[in-house]
Amino acid sequence: MNQTIVQFYPDATKSLIALTNALLISAAARTKKPFYLALSGGETARSLFEIWKNQYNDPKRWKNVHFFWVDERCVSSENEESNYHWAEKLFFKPVGINPNHIYRIQGEDIPYREAERYSRLVAEMLPDSNGVPQFDCTLLGIGEDEHIASIFNNDTDLLKSDDLYAVSRHPATGQRRITQTGEVILASREILIALVGERKKELLHRLVARKDQTITPATYILSHTSRATIFTEIELNSKELSFQ
């Protein structure tokens, strides 16, 4: 049985600061080597980038960090739905992150070709762990429908795919996305998950209270790793989530 550590803080901002401190401690321990970080998108990521811009804006803190993406919507980088767009606007430009350390998914290109290109890039740059490229840290959120990265309940085959990145489709909008697959997520040295805000309260309590064996992308990932930590302001009775 795998257990996921849950760290509680007084509010959402303090939760995201704690996650950032954990990330930077890991990065500082590898100052003589590149630190490969996979970023997620969404509202929580935007809040995180704002904190980085305002409180962690010395570029020296980030000098050995190389930024990749967990997933991306198949839109241009100028589109406000782009995960890269917000990272660039809220963090990379204001802080002065080295452009040579930023590796975006080109969402405007043909999705399947871009998934293949990005897979090759990641495989070439990252160290190998049992045949899978290994990120030093992966930042994740969990959707209210329990999707993780851009792996939805209609795409659960991507949890065990041999591809490194693949094309998924949002079940409600039909929007195509490029996403890490489950094996790449699970290979990461460290997985940091932010679950903050009122809308995530029911989700987190549902994950804790679940008695059935329903497999969703979130429960699959959490049940197959011992490297994940959840940062939240949502009170629970336990500081660990257990998954079989």
Side-chain angles (χ1 to χ4, degrees):
M1 179 178 292
N2 280 322
Q3 294 181 321
T4 297
I5 302 299
V6 184
Q7 296 188 8
F8 305 108
Y9 297 90
D11 56 47
T13 297
K14 288 183 172 62
S15 299
L16 296 179
I17 288 172
L19 181 152
T20 302
N21 289 336
L23 163 63
L24 290 176
I25 287 171
S26 295
R30 295 175 62 83
T31 52
K32 295 183 179 180
K33 296 181 180 180
F35 184 87
Y36 299 109
L37 172 65
L39 298 173
S40 291
E43 293 180 14
T44 301
R46 295 180 202 177
S47 298
L48 190 63
F49 297 148
E50 288 277 10
I51 290 171
W52 292 0
K53 177 182 68 175
N54 294 327
Q55 300 188 40
Y56 299 86
N57 51 19
D58 182 352
K60 292 179 182 177
R61 286 180 178 268
W62 306 95
K63 64 181 180 180
N64 69 319
V65 180
H66 290 246
F67 298 90
F68 295 78
W69 266 262
V70 172
D71 60 337
E72 180 60 282
R73 295 167 174 84
C74 292
V75 297
S76 75
S77 60
E78 289 77 29
N79 191 304
E80 291 191 356
E81 291 192 16
S82 164
N83 292 337
Y84 169 83
H85 173 86
W86 291 105
E88 173 77 0
K89 180 178 180 178
L90 300 177
F91 174 56
F92 294 147
K93 274 193 174 180
V95 175
I97 298 299
N98 184 349
N100 293 326
H101 287 188
I102 301 169
Y103 309 88
R104 78 175 181 94
I105 296 174
Q106 296 171 5
E108 68 275 18
D109 289 348
I110 297 171
Y112 291 96
R113 291 184 183 175
E114 177 57 13
E116 293 172 356
R117 183 197 71 84
Y118 206 70
S119 295
R120 290 194 299 270
L121 172 69
V122 169
E124 290 168 0
M125 292 198 62
L126 271 62
D128 180 272
S129 175
N130 297 317
V132 181
Q134 184 173 54
F135 284 94
D136 291 296
C137 184
T138 298
L139 303 186
L140 293 175
I142 300 176
E144 292 162 70
D145 60 354
E146 299 186 29
H147 79 265
I148 208 160
S150 280
I151 304 176
F152 301 94
N153 287 316
N154 59 319
D155 284 315
T156 53
D157 58 311
L158 298 182
L159 292 167
K160 300 179 181 180
S161 173
D162 291 332
D163 295 326
L164 304 181
Y165 282 77
V167 179
S168 67
R169 187 179 296 273
H170 191 285
T173 67
Q175 182 189 59
R176 288 182 295 180
R177 302 185 180 188
I178 295 169
T179 183
Q180 273 186 15
T181 58
E183 295 304 303
V184 180
I185 295 171
L186 292 171
S188 184
R189 292 177 183 272
E190 186 173 31
I191 299 172
L192 305 181
I193 302 172
L195 282 184
V196 297
E198 187 65 25
R199 294 196 308 174
K200 296 301 173 76
K201 181 180 291 187
E202 192 275 335
L203 164 66
L204 188 54
H205 283 278
R206 187 169 72 242
L207 289 172
V208 172
R210 169 163 285 147
K211 301 299 183 182
D212 61 36
Q213 299 298 314
T214 302
I215 300 298
T216 66
T219 59
Y220 179 87
I221 294 298
L222 293 175
S223 67
H224 285 78
T225 183
S226 58
R227 302 171 180 176
T229 303
I230 292 174
F231 295 80
T232 186
E233 84 285 11
I234 302 165
E235 285 289 348
L236 298 173
N237 293 326
S238 173
K239 292 186 177 180
E240 292 182 344
L241 300 184
S242 296
F243 295 90
Q244 293 183 345

